[in-house]
Amino acid sequence: MPENLTRRQFIKALGLTGAGVTLASAAPALAAVSGDTRPGDVPYRYWWVKNVDQPTTEIDWAQMKRYSEWRTTRGSLKEYRGAEKDASYLNLQKENLLKFETEQRPGYTTKDFALKEAVGSGRPPFLFMGPQTASTPEERGVPRYEGSPEENARIVRVALRHMGAGTVGFVHLEPETTRKLVYDQEPSPGKKSNVFENIDIGYEDDQKRVIPEKAKYAIVFSVQMSQETMRYGPTQLGSLTTTLTYTRMWLILTQLHEFLRSMGYQSFGTSAVNGLGIYPAFAVLAGLGEMSRLNRVITPEYGPNARFTVLLTDLPLAPTKPIDFGVMRFCRDCKTCAEFCPSGALSMDRDPSWEVKGPWNNPGHKAYFEDSVKCRNYWNTCGTNCGICFAVCPYAANDEASLHNIVKGTIATTPLLNSLLVSADRQAFPATMGEPMKDPESWWRNENLAECGIDSRAGGRNI
Amino acid sequence: MLWLLVGIIIGGGAIWLIAKTRIVWYQYVLGILGVALLLFTLQNYLGFLAEMEGHAAGFSLLIMGLPGLVLALLAVVLPRLLNQRKSNNAD
Ligand code: SF4
Ligand code: SF4
């Protein structure tokens, strides 16, 4: 039964049962009806999302060390596969992209290339402390904004939502635990150190980026990706799903920097793609989702189709709790992503493990670790990032059809029907190994597309 | 609007049936189950189409619409079949 159920969620739950068939009754939820958002809630959630004290991913904080971003395959792929192999894969990618565009292969036609190029343009530069162009309260001659941590959390959520973010949660940085999720060193080529010091104002020099200890509030937010275009991967059309999301995310991140500055507070963010910290871990601790066999986060609202980022600030913010909606239990029985992964990169083990697959994984948590090098090799082969595993995941669905919500509610309530639900999903959303789930040319014929390919009402919101 | 129209049609149909015909208890059970399943199918069918998932929409017609239709049809034809059998036995 949900621990914290808001009135809105309860009404939604009733609406669901009113639709006729639900395997997980909302009746017991009656006792849990509360007022609006409680501390610890990420608001506007379906009734089957349960707040928990510990995340569904086991973490051994004593074993966990701070990790350097450049050690991921984004920064050290050449080292992991060897210089010669690396050069030959990069060459293969170049040749294939030329071949596919020359052939005008669906999903790799000139219009697909052009759209990907276009949606990747116009990104603001990454700046550790943001552009710092917005006026501060001091400059305007007024005191800085002051509020309780709960009020501040609400205001940041509202602002972020208006900027285009999906869900928003908060984590407090503690030196022995959560602060270890901030990267020791930033991505290549800069590899600057992220350092915490007991100072008043943060700064950056040639060697390091210094974050004041008091900036211990992490704002974690998701940006929704298009469920639709993701279904066309592995192609340029499929891959522009993430390209567009990153463009939107960086714009939101920049605006958030300026919002906090204009309220009178400091903020510290990434200085490169995926920098600052381990976003999936922050997202799990903030209650935005659960880890999965993808070794990525699955959210209740957008399934795996979300990107995350983090900004640190000295504006006090009430933390949100991790959640459990059955994903880690479901992945034990599902394996759809791993079976359809063309490179065999994803774990086929029934249970998650403490054993990492390579130096691109950070030890200290129990996960379905992936062979990231195999995945990257496949990306070079198909010329672009692949995304098949995201597309085939049963959670990768919009929720217009009420069946999705019933299925997710059932998974969150009992693991007994997991295998049956996996089979039904594969029948309803068939996939072919190594192929896009849908014909990319059909997407270009549809002129009735959602803005940015996303549904801003996803996850049970009514706007 | 669609659901208002569907409600009016189902409500009107139900009133007419109850007023004009003699309904046996199991017809109520089969009829209500069948109509509920058909409504559920309609919502999901339209939902999947809105999600641009044509295959899933067709699949929902098969796995939910078909049983709903069978139940609703049984509600109509079962009394006739039973009557027919009764009169055959009487012969
Ligand atoms: S992106 Fe493609 S190759 Fe990589 S893990 Fe997913 S399915 Fe496998
Ligand atoms: S496809 Fe299945 S196993 Fe893979 S992440 Fe999604 S739910 Fe888990």
Side-chain angles (χ1 to χ4, degrees):
Chain A
M1 189 178 74
E3 208 176 65
N4 295 325
L5 190 77
T6 64
R7 189 175 295 125
R8 261 170 190 276
Q9 287 169 319
F10 177 64
I11 290 166
K12 280 181 199 303
L14 284 186
L16 184 68
T17 48
V21 190
T22 174
L23 296 169
S25 166
L30 192 55
V33 176
S34 72
D36 278 330
T37 315
R38 287 180 182 183
D41 265 356
V42 171
Y44 298 99
R45 282 250 153 106
Y46 283 124
W47 60 271
W48 38 264
V49 183
K50 188 170 67 173
N51 281 358
V52 288
D53 291 326
Q54 296 300 326
T56 54
T57 296
E58 282 181 62
I59 305 169
D60 181 350
W61 289 111
Q63 197 198 335
M64 187 176 287
K65 293 192 175 58
R66 281 181 72 189
Y67 187 74
S68 293
E69 202 285 341
W70 56 264
R71 292 177 63 207
T72 64
T73 44
R74 283 186 294 272
S76 299
L77 189 55
K78 191 174 174 182
E79 180 194 322
Y80 296 148
R81 60 185 177 190
E84 207 175 308
K85 223 172 175 186
D86 189 64
S88 93
Y89 269 114
L90 291 178
N91 202 32
L92 176 69
Q93 172 160 21
K94 210 169 143 198
E95 281 172 14
N96 279 351
L97 281 178
L98 178 62
K99 180 169 172 265
F100 298 161
E101 189 177 0
T102 308
E103 288 171 355
Q104 292 288 292
R105 185 180 286 198
Y108 292 90
T109 66
T110 302
K111 57 185 182 295
D112 298 296
F113 270 76
L115 187 57
K116 181 168 174 179
E117 292 287 318
V119 299
S121 65
R123 292 173 177 176
F126 290 110
L127 296 163
F128 174 49
M129 293 169 70
Q132 306 224 315
T133 52
S135 67
T136 62
E138 199 182 8
E139 287 165 359
R140 297 194 297 270
V142 293
R144 74 174 186 177
Y145 162 87
E146 298 286 351
S148 71
E150 287 75 20
E151 283 167 355
N152 301 347
R154 175 169 48 79
I155 281 162
V156 168
R157 268 200 202 103
V158 171
L160 268 173
R161 183 80 187 163
H162 194 66
M163 292 169 195
T167 44
V168 185
F170 308 100
V171 175
H172 284 186
L173 296 191
E174 303 295 346
E176 293 309 312
T177 54
T178 42
R179 206 160 87 179
K180 292 184 180 177
L181 300 175
V182 174
Y183 286 127
D184 196 24
Q185 288 184 322
E186 283 289 282
S188 306
K191 294 187 183 179
K192 279 190 188 177
S193 300
N194 286 320
V195 180
F196 287 88
E197 283 178 14
N198 196 6
I199 49 169
D200 217 39
I201 309 279
Y203 66 92
E204 180 175 20
D205 62 24
D206 292 347
Q207 305 294 320
K208 59 184 190 292
R209 305 162 76 227
V210 186
I211 302 164
E213 302 248 1
K214 66 176 180 177
K216 63 173 187 179
Y217 305 98
I219 303 170
V220 192
F221 64 90
S222 63
V223 180
Q224 191 185 165
M225 300 202 287
S226 170
Q227 308 270 8
E228 180 58 20
T229 49
M230 201 47 137
R231 296 259 203 247
Y232 300 92
T235 58
Q236 291 286 51
L237 179 59
S239 85
L240 64 80
T241 310
T242 43
T243 313
L244 175 59
T245 312
Y246 277 127
T247 302
R248 291 178 53 233
M249 189 169 85
W250 292 331
L251 183 61
I252 298 168
L253 192 71
T254 304
Q255 291 178 346
L256 181 60
H257 269 298
E258 295 304 86
F259 177 69
L260 292 163
R261 174 181 161 84
S262 207
M263 300 250 284
Y265 292 85
Q266 297 179 71
S267 57
F268 306 93
T270 180
S271 58
V273 186
N274 286 312
L276 188 70
I278 307 173
Y279 298 156
F282 274 109
V284 167
L285 293 171
L288 302 192
E290 280 187 65
M291 289 302 284
S292 64
R293 186 177 294 280
L294 299 166
N295 206 19
R296 299 289 181 276
V297 176
I298 290 188
T299 66
E301 290 81 10
Y302 320 122
N305 286 319
R307 279 285 186 275
F308 304 91
T309 191
V310 175
L311 199 70
L312 304 179
T313 180
D314 54 354
L315 173 72
L317 294 158
T320 42
K321 281 184 161 192
I323 53 169
D324 179 351
F325 59 108
V327 174
M328 281 300 269
R329 286 188 300 276
F330 186 65
C331 288
R332 297 177 81 218
D333 296 316
C334 177
K335 296 192 183 128
T336 302
C337 52
E339 282 173 24
F340 280 98
C341 170
S343 71
L346 298 177
S347 167
M348 285 292 283
D349 297 341
R350 184 167 163 78
D351 289 300
S353 158
W354 294 99
E355 294 294 319
V356 296
K357 286 269 164 59
W360 50 84
N361 297 134
N362 189 27
H365 66 293
K366 205 172 171 187
Y368 291 105
F369 290 109
E370 82 286 26
D371 190 332
S372 205
V373 172
K374 281 186 183 169
C375 171
R376 289 280 165 164
N377 291 348
Y378 184 73
W379 288 19
N380 292 135
T381 312
C382 65
T384 174
N385 44 345
C386 147
I388 288 177
C389 47
F390 275 43
V392 298
C393 176
Y395 281 95
N398 286 322
D399 47 13
E400 292 288 341
S402 57
L403 203 54
H404 296 302
N405 211 358
I406 291 168
V407 167
K408 287 187 248 182
T410 306
I411 293 170
T413 312
T414 171
L416 287 177
L417 297 172
N418 284 358
S419 301
L420 182 74
L421 294 174
V422 172
S423 311
D425 181 82
R426 290 198 192 178
Q427 293 297 324
F429 300 94
T432 309
M433 177 62 98
E435 295 289 327
M437 289 180 82
K438 291 181 177 180
D439 168 22
E441 281 302 304
S442 68
W443 185 81
W444 285 98
R445 287 192 288 271
N446 185 356
E447 292 183 69
N448 189 26
L449 294 167
E451 291 164 29
C452 295
I454 59 164
D455 177 1
S456 70
R457 297 167 310 144
R461 287 177 187 263
N462 54 9
I463 48 167
Chain B
M1 191 63 190
L2 169 74
W3 295 108
L4 179 68
L5 283 177
V6 168
I8 291 170
I9 292 167
I10 291 175
I15 291 168
W16 183 83
L17 275 174
I18 292 165
K20 297 283 178 192
T21 57
R22 213 171 56 91
I23 302 176
V24 197
W25 67 268
Y26 58 80
Q27 282 182 291
Y28 277 111
V29 176
L30 290 173
I32 289 169
L33 279 177
V35 169
L37 210 47
L38 285 173
L39 283 177
F40 187 57
T41 307
L42 181 64
Q43 195 285 326
N44 279 286
Y45 178 75
L46 296 175
F48 282 128
L49 288 184
E51 293 172 15
M52 297 195 265
E53 297 296 348
H55 183 88
F59 188 66
S60 70
L61 287 185
L62 189 71
I63 62 155
M64 299 182 301
L66 201 58
L69 202 60
V70 169
L71 287 175
L73 283 177
L74 272 181
V76 177
V77 301
L78 205 58
R80 286 186 204 170
L81 288 177
L82 290 175
N83 279 342
Q84 212 169 9
R85 181 179 281 187
K86 255 188 217 161
S87 54
N88 284 347
N89 286 349
D91 291 346

